[in-house]
Amino acid sequence: MGKDNFKYKCTDCGKEYDPGRIMYLCPDCSASNTPGLPPRGVLKIIYDYQKICGSFNTFEELKQKGYIDLLPVKSVDSLPKLKIGRTPLYTIEINDGRNHSFRIHFKDDSQNPTYSFKDRASALVSAFAQENNLNTIVTASTGNAGSSLAGVCAAQRQKAVIIVPQKAPLAKLTQILMYGATIVPVKGTYDDAFDLSILASKEFGWYNRNTAYNPLTIEGKKIASFELIDQLHFRLPDRIFVPAGDGVIISGIYKGFEDLLLLNIIDRMPVIVAVQSEKSDNLIRNIGQKEFKIIPSATIADSISVDIPRNFFMAQQYIQKYKGEIITVSDEEILRASSTLSKNTGLFAEPAASAAFAGLISYQQNRMIANKSTNVVLLTGSGLKDLKAVSSLIDMPESIYPSVDNLKKLL
Ligand SMILES: [Zn+2]
């Protein structure tokens, strides 16, 4: 079964596990996990970096092969035939008129087939399932991961079962149904959906895509870092602003750069800034704390509204090891950032993604963006996914009878 170019490594005890079977959490460390706290024993996928180093001359060679040497699947042919990843990077020069200028690059992952970053993870999970004859994939989701898995499984002729809290935004629920997945709305939170999905995979033998549970999701997400370094012509950005909820996307971005570091393709880690809503800051508030404390989340940015950040321990490890930065922004700042972004760039991002931009704006206001610096903002999903969140920004005029006089009045 599967490919043997990788190993699973526990982020807590460091124990390594051979591939060749389906692994989720480290059996040793997860044995004492308790509900209501982030899980221990999340696994990371590692490769024989020395061997890979000797197998290529240029990064371009790795890219031409679809980075297959750094993926836990046998063939890129197992990936869905949708255009996943390879998303655009838009550059904007900011000049504040005081001889202070800097550059913002927006990595627009709303351009994925189901309009979110999550397609990167779904693609890899789906490919692995195909290579291992696993026909049904289940996931718990607040919306984006579910709509993504549903779309990818439709492309791959696989069955998807999506367990969502009933309050997920309508657009995401609609996507799931349109893609033909089985949807299971639960009376409860994302955490309830998460627990049910794990019980369901045990009961029915379904493959489980849950983030911070299935180690492949990070491997899919890390490819965004490979693309970034390529699009920036190997100039490492000074900062990368990433929206953070459960800590999986940010870990994926770290993992991508860590792979590049281990292959000597880059020589240092860029500063990665985890941006959370101040109404959902359970990840960054708990970093370095002895006791994990949860404050119920209430942000409008539903994709990063998280009570238990499932990938807390891995994200914390990365942030501490590579001196990452953290910042919270208010919901008002998120909405303002969303409006500024749309009106100045033509990019309409969902609130979670706008939060990352709000983080950059806050840095700028506090004069923390260096002159001539290069900054990346990761836009993780489309604004069309959650129209209700921005309804307070919209002032729709009354309709008029079509005459020039009425038009003049309206203008
Ligand atoms: Zn362990």
Side-chain angles (χ1 to χ4, degrees):
M1 181 204 240
K3 194 177 168 189
D4 61 359
N5 68 328
F6 69 96
K7 281 194 162 64
Y8 299 101
K9 185 176 182 180
C10 176
T11 48
D12 282 308
C13 70
K15 196 187 259 183
E16 294 181 8
Y17 297 92
D18 285 331
R21 58 187 165 135
I22 298 160
M23 293 276 313
Y24 296 115
L25 302 176
C26 167
D28 290 354
C29 297
S30 62
S32 53
N33 281 342
T34 45
L37 285 176
R40 289 286 186 178
V42 174
L43 299 174
K44 186 159 140 178
I45 289 177
I46 55 164
Y47 302 85
D48 186 341
Y49 293 99
Q50 228 169 358
K51 195 172 154 197
I52 299 172
C53 265
S55 74
F56 71 95
N57 295 309
T58 63
F59 179 81
E60 189 62 27
E61 290 172 33
L62 293 174
K63 181 184 159 189
Q64 288 304 330
K65 288 195 281 173
Y67 308 113
I68 193 68
D69 299 329
L70 289 160
L71 294 176
V73 291
K74 280 184 237 170
S75 165
V76 287
D77 294 334
S78 313
L79 292 161
K81 307 291 176 281
L82 295 167
K83 184 173 178 287
I84 291 171
R86 291 165 283 150
T87 54
L89 187 73
Y90 299 111
T91 305
I92 292 188
E93 302 282 348
I94 305 282
N95 196 323
D96 70 359
R98 290 171 301 160
N99 278 335
H100 185 96
S101 62
F102 60 93
R103 200 171 275 180
I104 309 176
H105 299 279
F106 292 101
K107 179 71 171 158
D108 185 13
D109 257 61
S110 71
Q111 296 301 304
N112 278 302
T114 77
Y115 317 105
S116 93
F117 189 89
K118 303 289 167 88
D119 287 343
R120 296 178 180 276
S122 300
L124 197 63
V125 169
S126 165
F128 183 88
Q130 197 182 77
E131 291 184 357
N132 294 284
N133 298 316
L134 304 157
N135 298 320
T136 303
I137 311 176
V138 62
T139 195
S141 169
T142 58
N144 276 341
S147 50
S148 168
L149 182 65
V152 163
C153 282
Q156 297 264 77
R157 306 286 161 88
Q158 291 165 319
K159 285 198 181 104
V161 180
I162 316 295
I163 306 181
V164 289
Q166 58 184 359
K167 59 167 192 182
L170 184 64
K172 299 178 186 182
L173 299 177
T174 305
Q175 273 185 294
I176 294 169
L177 289 166
M178 286 304 292
Y179 292 133
T182 301
I183 191 166
V184 185
V186 292
K187 295 185 203 309
T189 62
Y190 171 70
D191 300 308
D192 299 318
F194 196 99
D195 294 340
L196 180 60
S197 79
I198 290 171
L199 293 174
S201 29
K202 283 178 188 156
E203 178 77 20
F204 305 113
W206 297 338
Y207 188 43
N208 194 305
R209 181 214 180 275
N210 284 3
T211 47
Y213 183 65
N214 185 325
L216 270 77
T217 61
I218 298 250
E219 293 303 292
K221 291 174 182 192
K222 75 177 183 188
I223 298 171
S225 303
F226 299 169
E227 292 174 17
L228 266 175
I229 202 71
D230 188 37
Q231 288 169 311
L232 292 169
H233 307 293
F234 297 90
R235 184 189 160 161
L236 268 183
D238 294 280
R239 281 198 181 88
I240 304 176
F241 293 82
V242 181
D246 59 7
V248 176
I249 289 183
I250 194 156
S251 298
I253 298 296
Y254 269 118
K255 177 61 160 57
F257 283 109
E258 191 176 57
D259 278 0
L260 297 173
L261 207 55
L262 292 166
L263 294 174
N264 301 317
I265 290 169
I266 57 173
D267 57 5
R268 66 178 169 88
M269 184 66 81
V271 174
I272 295 175
V273 186
V275 187
Q276 287 208 289
S277 161
E278 61 186 22
K279 286 186 181 164
S280 174
D281 65 346
N282 287 308
L283 192 149
I284 63 180
R285 184 173 23 78
N286 281 294
I287 290 177
Q289 300 300 312
K290 271 210 180 92
E291 203 186 325
F292 195 94
K293 282 202 187 110
I294 293 168
I295 297 177
S297 54
T299 173
I300 50 149
D302 78 287
S303 301
I304 50 168
S305 182
V306 170
D307 286 351
I308 307 169
R310 299 270 167 180
N311 209 40
F312 173 74
F313 292 107
M314 188 194 284
Q316 174 177 256
Q317 232 175 53
Y318 273 130
I319 290 168
Q320 289 180 332
K321 180 172 182 187
Y322 295 114
K323 300 187 169 48
E325 296 175 353
I326 53 175
I327 183 175
T328 55
V329 290
S330 68
D331 277 10
E332 293 70 36
E333 287 175 290
I334 292 174
L335 285 175
R336 267 205 304 277
S338 178
S339 174
T340 305
L341 181 70
S342 303
K343 290 184 173 70
N344 291 284
T345 64
L347 302 172
F348 179 25
E350 74 169 332
S354 304
F357 184 43
L360 180 141
I361 293 172
S362 176
Y363 265 64
Q364 184 189 4
Q365 284 166 348
N366 292 299
R367 307 200 171 202
M368 290 163 67
I369 304 278
N371 194 23
K372 311 250 183 271
S373 63
T374 301
N375 305 274
V376 173
V377 175
L378 186 61
L379 299 178
T380 45
S382 162
L384 291 175
K385 287 205 163 233
D386 189 4
L387 292 175
K388 213 171 104 195
V390 291
S391 56
S392 65
L393 296 174
I394 306 295
D395 193 10
M396 187 70 76
E398 290 284 317
S399 54
I400 56 167
Y401 286 102
S403 75
V404 171
D405 275 350
N406 285 335
L407 183 59
K408 278 180 184 164
K409 270 182 225 155
L410 181 84
L411 296 175

